Amino acid sequence: MWSRIYKLFRPRRNLKMPDSPVTNCEQALIQLKNFGYAFDEAGILRKIDPATGEPGTEQFSYNVSDDGNENEKHYQNLANQIPEIVYALLEKNGLSRTYIPLHKDPQRSSFIYSQPAKLSQSKKLLVLIHGSGLVKAGQWARSLIINNSLDHGSQLPYVRQAQKLGYDLLITNTNDCSRFYNGKENIIEGVETPLKHTKYVWKNIVLPSKPESVAIVAHSYGGCLTLDLVEHFLDFFKESVFAIAFTDSVMGSPQSKYRDYLCNVTCDWVASNTPLDTPISQSKNSIRRVSAGHTKHEWTSYSAIDSIFKFIEEKYEQRTNKK
């Protein structure tokens, strides 16, 4: 796949950054080139070789100066280009953008991604919920995208695997809660916080589409967002959500009214120095926790993907056998 993507993203020698702000993938790639970087055929961010104008062998370096503030500015400027590039890759993989709140000016709205473009009675629907901070739709950890590869830090491996297994997809964008216009940053009413954003998507897109069976993968703060959904839409969850996979999620103890349900359908893959799937803790009144096979929080979604899809498919088989 990456060789095809590379042809689209291949740096060109004479590109110049336009005067307007970065608003799409093409401009983001131009900006990356101006910083001296491009993605190679494996989706790894490389320094451009001045002699060839192509990605070389050297990867991103945070330390470009003795000034710590300058290093951080360099990193943030580069990281700001990542969302538009990932959006383009989602679209290249068949996902479509839906603006929310519905029926509002797209220029002053947030958006999510889904496949098909309009969800309707999905036999199997997979919902991906990222964590807090600066990550946007299609990302688990932008630091991994920059320092390792697009596959390591993006949700693209989950998209591809879900497509192979016949799932429809919905990708959230819960940190996308404001737009800049009229000279200032403005909140997007109706989706102005991650909690409101997630509930809006669930109420106005997921529920009306009447999916038959739903699985969720949620990273970090996405765990809190998921538990909030369970609390507000408990009947739907008990009826339709058959598997919830957390990756090193932030969450409190499940409330008693839905504890048994969650303990039955949920597993949390946590950062640990033990091998993948090693039990970390298990009690009657808590969500099962197993090792994600990596010691670092931001790596857990990538390192546990095979185990997570095995878990989801086993839960789906259990669900179908009960019918």
Side-chain angles (χ1 to χ4, degrees), residues 13-259:
R13 287 175 180 262
N14 298 320
L15 288 178
K16 294 182 179 180
M17 185 63 195
D19 294 334
S20 57
V22 171
T23 58
N24 57 42
C25 180
E26 178 73 10
Q27 292 178 352
L29 290 166
I30 294 170
Q31 188 70 288
L32 275 186
K33 180 181 180 294
N34 288 345
F35 294 145
Y37 294 95
F39 285 102
D40 69 7
E41 293 185 9
I44 299 171
L45 191 65
R46 302 281 191 184
K47 288 188 177 180
I48 295 173
D49 184 338
T52 64
E54 302 285 337
T57 58
E58 192 174 351
Q59 289 186 238
F60 171 78
S61 175
Y62 179 83
N63 294 310
V64 296
S65 168
D66 293 333
D67 185 342
N69 291 331
E70 192 65 27
N71 289 334
E72 182 62 19
K73 181 180 179 181
H74 171 68
Y75 176 82
Q76 294 299 335
N77 284 337
L78 189 146
N80 288 340
Q81 316 314 315
I82 298 301
E84 291 291 346
I85 294 169
V86 173
Y87 297 157
L89 289 171
L90 292 176
E91 292 163 8
K92 194 68 181 175
N93 278 270
L95 286 96
S96 300
R97 186 179 297 198
T98 297
Y99 290 94
I100 57 173
L102 301 172
H103 314 302
K104 300 292 185 180
D105 179 0
Q107 299 300 316
R108 300 184 180 185
S109 302
S110 181
F111 54 88
I112 60 164
Y113 279 96
S114 66
Q115 185 183 41
K118 184 173 177 58
L119 296 173
S120 179
Q121 298 181 325
S122 301
K123 183 177 181 181
K124 297 192 297 183
L125 174 65
L126 179 63
V127 180
L128 303 180
I129 305 177
H130 57 61
S132 61
L134 298 173
V135 292
K136 299 291 175 64
Q139 300 177 52
W140 294 126
R142 63 180 191 164
S143 63
L144 294 187
I145 293 175
I146 293 170
N147 293 296
N148 296 87
S149 77
L150 281 156
D151 267 1
H152 282 83
S154 79
Q155 296 174 350
L156 291 166
Y158 280 81
V159 168
R160 295 194 294 267
Q161 185 63 14
Q163 290 170 335
K164 288 180 183 178
L165 295 171
Y167 285 84
D168 289 348
L169 282 156
L170 187 147
I171 294 181
T172 62
N173 201 12
T174 64
N175 297 322
D176 189 48
C177 301
S178 66
R179 285 291 178 271
F180 187 86
Y181 57 89
N182 293 339
K184 63 177 182 178
E185 198 72 21
N186 298 270
I187 62 169
I188 304 172
E189 293 186 8
V191 295
E192 54 263 59
T193 67
L195 283 168
K196 291 184 178 181
H197 197 290
T198 312
K199 283 199 288 284
Y200 183 93
V201 170
W202 212 261
K203 182 178 179 180
N204 293 278
I205 295 177
V206 175
L207 294 184
S209 74
K210 298 180 180 179
E212 181 180 312
S213 300
V214 181
I216 297 172
V217 180
H219 176 60
S220 193
Y221 184 64
C224 279
L225 299 178
T226 303
L227 292 188
D228 184 67
L229 290 175
V230 174
E231 184 172 352
H232 284 87
F233 305 101
L234 182 57
D235 290 343
F236 174 84
F237 268 75
K238 286 184 174 180
E239 175 66 26
S240 301
V241 181
F242 66 91
I244 301 173
F246 291 141
T247 56
D248 217 31
S249 284
V250 178
M251 55 186 172
S253 299
Q255 294 187 23
S256 58
K257 64 180 179 180
Y258 50 77
R259 182 180 297 131

Side-chain angles (χ1 to χ4, degrees), residues 254 258-266 283-287:
Y258 50 77
R259 182 180 297 131
D260 289 346
Y261 160 75
L262 280 178
C263 290
N264 182 51
V265 304
T266 305
S283 68
K284 185 177 181 181
N285 296 321
S286 67
I287 291 171

